[in-house]
Amino acid sequence: MSHHPNHPRHTQDKKKTQVHKDWRTWTIVILMLAGMAAYILTLDESVVPAVQPQEPMEAIGG
């Protein structure tokens, strides 16, 4: 196996590390995390149906 600088595997490894250094990747990741955090933090009791007051039950057989 040749270790020539133009070997295709060498350029693929470089491209993989370039993605993690790109500011657009980190911007998208931060925006997604902020959106998930906002979704989780804004879940409150208002989306759950209110508890209906129970009517007094009549005694059975009486």
Side-chain angles (χ1 to χ4, degrees):
M1 181 182 248
S2 174
H3 291 288
H4 195 270
N6 293 331
H7 194 270
R9 185 172 180 193
H10 180 71
T11 58
Q12 283 180 342
D13 290 341
K14 187 175 180 180
K15 284 183 181 180
K16 286 181 183 178
T17 59
Q18 290 287 59
V19 172
H20 294 99
K21 294 179 183 179
D22 190 9
W23 64 270
R24 292 173 290 193
T25 301
W26 291 110
T27 302
I28 291 170
V29 169
I30 290 169
L31 287 174
M32 285 192 305
L33 290 174
M36 288 188 284
Y39 175 76
I40 291 170
L41 293 174
T42 58
L43 288 179
D44 58 359
E45 300 284 329
S46 65
V47 294
V48 179
V51 177
Q52 300 293 326
Q54 293 184 351
E55 298 178 15
M57 296 179 72
E58 296 180 19
I60 299 176

